[in-house]
Amino acid sequence: MSSDLFANQNKNFSYYHALIQKIKAYDKKYYQDNDPAISDAKYDLLRQELINIEKEHPEWQQADSPSNQVGYVVKDQFNKITHIKPMLSLTNGFSTDDIKDFIHKIQKFLNIDYCPKIAIEPKIDGISFAARYKNHSFYQGLTRGDGKIGEDITENLKVIENLPMKLPQEAPENLEVRGEIYMSKADFAKLNRQQEEKGQKIFANPRNAASGSLRQLDTSITAMRKLKYFIYNVASENFANSQSESLIKIKKYGFNINDLNKAATDLSTIVEYYKVISERRYELPYDIDGMVYKIDDCILQERLGEIARSPRWAIAHKFPAEEAKTKLENIIIQVGRTGVLTPVAILTAINIGGVIVKRASLHNEDEILRKKIQIGDIVNIKRAGDVIPQITSVELNKRENTHKFIFPKYCPVCNSIVTKLAGEAAIRCLAEYSCKAQILGRIKYSVSLNGLNIIGLRDKQIEFLYNKKLIANSYDIFTLEARQKNSITRLENYPGWGKLSVKNLYKAINNSRKITLEKFIYALAIKHVGSNIAQILSKHFITINSFIDNLAKVNNEDKKIYNELLNIDGVGLKIVAELAKYFARSANLLLLENFTKELNILPYESNQIESKISGKIIVFTGSLKNTTRLEAKAKAEKLGAKVASAISSKTDYLVAGEGSGSKLEKAQKLAIKILTEEEWINLL
């Protein structure tokens, strides 16, 4: 062999070896760090190049070559687990008045004139989790997920510092605790230094770092990140009589609790402690973003229950927003799924509370005029927790070389005339079904977490599929794979795509074919129908067929179903009008019909207790002596009843308290079963 040929051969082998290392590094980024470094298409080309070299030189092939391996770790996904009790999120309060209102609502609900004992705890800025114990041993852990279903992180929780794997004999045999995983400020700073030295991703804040570290498929990475936790709640029944007692017992069993917890029975003590912790929070070794207030008594918690996804007995009091100054470089217009033209401020990038802020919402034209905002201004930016940054004011004394922003008269996307509807501050494009921005907005809304939940289908991918006329609506996503089999131009052949990315896309789509009625209604992207209304409608109609059959009748000719909708507590005129508008369009009815062929839409499953009044329609009127109407209504709903605000022929019971008026008269005329308060209590 000549020296030139030998040198060339040696060079080729060096290239092959370097290629293996490069692909391994990309595999680690993709499978372990959840942070792909290159596009799937480029990755596919590198894998193919490796395979071609090994075919040409089988003598070079190494046992640990990526061509012999699939992925980077053993597990390929986190299993889904249903919560025994929903993991609810908290309502936020931002002022003393909000907390005063919280206490007032509790007093009104319970019909009391004093402030019940309230447990106060710091609100850890971390990741919620649940840990389950059976026969005194840890056996399962899961994330909050969507509140009903979480991800299995059992192996990851096993490496969390000081989380007990065995409980003492005096603890209940079976127990579920809930808490927050967090990363200390010191460990966060150390991690980012290490990431920087390796040339890897720098985390924006400790919460993001904790989230990325907890959801590692390789638990050795989780262990190295030194995550910590605090327990704030016990989900098991009859564990303690109060929140305060619960924390004492949990600490005794070996769990970490936050020792800054306190109790109070008046607003002034609550507010004073809030101020004390707010001033001290920068000295703490971990991040907190507010305080949590909970009614201490567990029996009162049970009576108060919850509203949709939030407990009625707890609230988060967020700390004041962090502020900074920067330059407003430009104002652009974004068109949303409902046609609203929203002005967005483009800012000189600035770090506020560990987050880089480049944009801020300006809401509408009136907001720009009211705050006298001009392009080129130095503005004050406020950011509170996860709230979208806002411009609070303009530094008028620093104004120079600025110019006013002129709101467009035509939609910047479809060029249709825009208008401001009566009673609205927003300016809208009315080309609902022809404006590209609105169509794309509805598709993106549909596939989100609260809807179809197609994991990994990002905005850019949706835009690409729409622009290539591969989809025209959210339904088309579910027929994409079948249509592609007969297509001349395959998706994987387009720039930016590859076999791996297409395979993952189809897998994500197919994993989303089973959906609850509540999430499906949300995914229809009907104006004013968000998560809460979708839940209310699914609870009322139970099945997809009932939902479609009844809503298809909502029009001016059929007042029966129209009035039935208005009788549903929480559904008002605006919502009914939008439902009528949606179901009056034949294209939407066809879309619904097609969806039912592609999806397994599960009927509503109530987590209420089965009782004598399950499924019954109840109306309350007058004042009750032993409870409030608010509490009576909440209890009826918990027992599976539907509470309506008006009498109709479908009403099963009218519960008539003192001072009953027109509802009682109407019930008598319709021969509705009328119950006194005592008879109602006996029925329960």
Side-chain angles (χ1 to χ4, degrees):
M1 181 182 290
S2 70
S3 59
D4 287 344
L5 184 61
F6 179 83
N8 191 46
Q9 184 90 331
N10 193 46
K11 182 180 178 183
N12 287 341
F13 179 80
S14 297
Y15 175 80
Y16 165 70
H17 182 73
L19 184 61
I20 286 176
Q21 300 310 312
K22 183 185 289 187
I23 292 174
K24 281 184 175 181
Y26 288 147
D27 280 346
K28 181 178 182 298
K29 292 285 285 180
Y30 183 88
Y31 291 103
Q32 191 180 67
D33 299 337
N34 296 316
D35 186 21
I38 60 171
S39 71
D40 289 332
K42 289 181 179 177
Y43 176 85
D44 286 341
L45 288 174
L46 290 176
R47 289 278 294 210
Q48 191 56 52
E49 185 180 6
L50 179 70
I51 291 167
N52 290 341
I53 291 174
E54 290 177 343
K55 281 182 180 178
E56 189 175 344
H57 296 282
E59 72 278 8
W60 289 357
Q61 187 168 2
Q62 300 177 17
D64 64 344
S65 169
S67 63
N68 295 325
Q69 299 175 359
V70 178
Y72 193 81
V73 290
V74 177
K75 289 191 283 183
D76 64 349
Q77 64 178 9
F78 291 97
N79 293 324
K80 302 293 187 289
I81 301 175
T82 301
H83 289 291
I84 296 169
K85 289 171 64 177
M87 282 191 79
L88 304 172
S89 57
L90 297 177
T91 301
N92 288 330
F94 295 94
S95 66
T96 299
D97 284 343
D98 290 338
I99 307 309
K100 187 177 180 180
D101 185 53
F102 163 71
I103 294 171
H104 175 71
K105 285 179 178 176
I106 285 168
Q107 290 172 325
K108 185 179 177 183
F109 187 96
L110 298 173
N111 194 24
I112 56 176
D113 57 4
Y114 61 92
C115 177
K117 186 177 178 182
I118 291 176
I120 310 171
E121 301 161 28
K123 185 176 182 298
I124 309 302
D125 195 10
I127 311 301
S128 295
F129 77 100
R132 295 173 177 173
Y133 293 79
K134 186 185 290 183
N135 299 325
H136 294 109
S137 296
F138 172 73
Y139 81 97
Q140 195 172 64
L142 56 160
T143 62
R144 181 201 297 276
D146 65 1
K148 294 180 180 178
I149 298 174
E151 292 177 314
D152 186 346
I153 51 166
T154 302
E155 298 305 314
N156 305 67
L157 288 188
K158 287 179 180 178
V159 298
I160 300 299
E161 188 176 312
N162 296 329
L163 183 69
M165 292 295 106
K166 284 275 189 183
L167 298 183
Q169 287 302 306
E170 63 265 29
E173 282 190 6
N174 302 318
L175 185 69
E176 179 176 319
V177 296
R178 293 175 174 181
E180 291 278 317
I181 301 283
Y182 70 93
M183 182 177 287
S184 72
K185 294 175 183 177
D187 287 334
F188 169 69
K190 183 179 179 181
L191 173 62
N192 265 353
R193 283 196 301 271
Q194 292 171 345
Q195 294 289 98
E196 191 172 11
E197 288 168 4
K198 296 174 184 176
Q200 295 179 353
K201 176 184 175 182
I202 302 297
F203 293 99
N205 51 55
R207 186 186 187 281
N208 285 4
S211 178
S213 303
L214 182 64
R215 296 183 70 259
Q216 290 288 331
L217 295 174
D218 181 355
T219 57
S220 66
I221 302 296
T222 306
M224 286 191 292
R225 299 284 174 85
K226 296 184 177 180
L227 299 178
K228 297 177 175 63
Y229 76 95
F230 285 122
I231 297 300
Y232 61 72
N233 189 27
V234 176
S236 304
E237 300 288 345
N238 304 317
F239 178 74
N241 294 318
S242 67
Q243 172 69 8
S244 302
E245 181 189 342
S246 178
L247 292 178
I248 291 169
K249 290 175 76 172
I250 278 296
K251 186 175 182 179
K252 184 180 176 183
Y253 298 154
F255 292 98
N256 292 346
I257 67 164
N258 194 301
D259 289 325
L260 294 176
N261 66 80
K262 184 183 174 74
T265 54
D266 61 89
L267 181 64
S268 59
T269 304
I270 292 168
V271 172
E272 183 59 36
Y273 194 57
Y274 169 85
K275 290 177 181 176
V276 168
I277 299 300
S278 179
E279 291 169 2
R280 282 186 55 195
R281 66 172 164 147
Y282 297 107
E283 303 168 11
L284 297 175
Y286 46 82
D287 277 345
I288 61 174
D289 57 356
M291 303 296 286
V292 175
Y293 309 140
K294 304 173 184 175
I295 297 302
D296 195 50
D297 190 309
C298 290
I299 293 175
L300 292 185
Q301 287 184 14
E302 183 68 21
R303 284 178 61 187
L304 287 160
E306 59 269 344
I307 310 167
R309 289 169 172 76
S310 302
R312 198 179 269 110
W313 45 267
I315 190 171
H317 191 179
K318 303 300 281 288
F319 288 135
E322 297 182 78
E323 296 195 22
K325 289 181 175 62
T326 191
K327 185 177 181 179
L328 194 161
E329 297 179 353
N330 196 10
I331 295 175
I332 63 171
I333 294 290
Q334 290 183 341
V335 183
R337 68 178 178 88
T338 61
V340 172
L341 274 64
T342 303
V344 177
I346 305 300
L347 309 167
T348 300
I350 187 167
N351 190 315
I352 306 179
V355 174
I356 303 299
V357 174
K358 298 178 181 178
R359 295 186 173 205
S361 173
L362 294 171
H363 303 293
N364 51 54
E365 183 182 31
D366 293 347
E367 182 83 349
I368 294 173
L369 295 173
R370 185 176 67 81
K371 292 181 177 176
K372 301 176 182 178
I373 294 169
Q374 294 187 13
I375 295 171
D377 274 330
I378 300 299
V379 293
N380 293 300
I381 305 294
K382 178 176 76 173
R383 179 185 168 273
D386 295 327
V387 177
I388 297 169
Q390 297 181 38
I391 292 176
T392 56
S393 61
V394 174
E395 297 285 309
L396 295 174
N397 59 334
K398 296 181 181 179
R399 176 173 284 173
E400 56 181 43
N401 300 322
T402 64
H403 61 278
K404 292 182 179 179
F405 173 73
I406 308 300
F407 218 89
K409 295 181 179 179
Y410 299 91
C411 174
V413 177
C414 70
N415 208 35
S416 299
I417 294 175
V418 298
T419 187
K420 184 185 284 189
L421 300 178
E424 287 191 354
I427 293 175
R428 292 181 187 274
C429 166
L430 301 180
E432 186 175 352
Y433 293 102
S434 58
C435 178
K436 178 181 174 181
Q438 294 185 61
I439 296 169
L440 283 171
R442 285 194 293 273
I443 298 173
K444 292 171 184 177
Y445 182 89
S446 293
V447 306
S448 63
L449 176 66
N450 290 327
L452 299 169
N453 191 21
I454 303 177
I455 298 168
L457 183 54
R458 298 181 292 274
D459 289 356
K460 286 185 178 179
Q461 291 175 312
I462 292 170
E463 289 165 13
F464 177 88
L465 294 172
Y466 181 83
N467 290 335
K468 292 296 180 183
K469 299 185 178 178
L470 294 172
I471 62 170
N473 51 52
S474 50
Y475 161 74
D476 287 341
I477 293 168
F478 292 94
T479 63
L480 179 63
E481 184 176 8
R483 287 184 283 115
Q484 276 283 291
K485 288 178 181 177
N486 301 318
S487 175
I488 297 171
T489 308
R490 304 298 292 270
L491 187 56
E492 56 261 37
N493 294 328
Y494 283 107
W497 294 81
K499 288 183 179 179
L500 180 62
S501 57
V502 173
K503 180 183 176 183
N504 287 341
L505 173 62
Y506 292 155
K507 182 180 179 182
I509 292 169
N510 291 325
N511 285 343
S512 297
R513 289 182 183 273
K514 190 175 181 180
I515 186 172
T516 62
L517 178 59
E518 173 188 341
K519 290 199 168 194
F520 177 72
I521 294 173
Y522 177 94
L524 296 178
I526 302 170
K527 188 180 174 186
H528 299 318
V529 179
S531 294
N532 288 347
I533 299 301
Q535 185 182 43
I536 289 169
L537 291 172
S538 65
K539 180 181 176 182
H540 183 82
F541 292 107
I542 307 296
T543 67
I544 182 60
N545 289 337
S546 174
F547 174 73
I548 294 173
D549 292 347
N550 281 282
L551 270 294
K553 300 173 187 173
V554 185
N555 53 54
N556 292 330
E557 287 73 40
D558 190 339
K559 292 291 184 184
K560 190 176 179 182
I561 185 66
Y562 192 90
N563 290 329
E564 183 183 328
L565 283 167
L566 286 177
N567 278 335
I568 300 173
D569 197 41
V571 177
L573 280 169
K574 277 187 177 181
I575 294 167
V576 176
E578 289 300 328
L579 288 167
K581 180 181 171 185
Y582 183 88
F583 280 87
R585 191 168 185 269
S586 58
N588 288 336
L589 294 176
L590 178 62
L591 185 72
L592 285 166
E593 184 183 342
N594 289 335
F595 259 130
T596 58
K597 294 173 184 175
E598 291 291 334
L599 302 181
N600 177 14
I601 304 170
L602 305 173
Y604 175 79
E605 282 191 17
S606 172
N607 58 4
Q608 287 94 1
I609 303 162
E610 285 298 317
S611 71
K612 293 178 183 178
I613 62 170
S614 294
K616 303 293 185 182
I617 298 175
I618 315 291
V619 175
F620 292 94
T621 187
S623 58
L624 305 177
K625 290 184 293 184
N626 298 306
T627 185
T628 65
R629 275 168 59 179
L630 286 171
E631 185 174 1
K633 172 191 158 186
K635 188 167 187 177
E637 288 179 337
K638 192 169 185 179
L639 292 171
K642 298 176 182 178
V643 178
S645 57
I647 294 289
S648 75
S649 59
K650 290 188 175 182
T651 304
D652 292 294
Y653 297 110
L654 172 72
V655 180
E658 293 180 0
S660 299
S662 59
K663 288 180 183 177
L664 177 59
E665 292 174 10
K666 188 172 181 180
Q668 289 168 338
K669 287 178 183 178
L670 293 173
I672 303 297
K673 179 72 174 176
I674 298 167
L675 301 175
T676 64
E677 183 178 358
E678 289 72 26
E679 288 171 332
W680 167 249
I681 292 169
N682 290 336
L683 178 65
L684 299 186

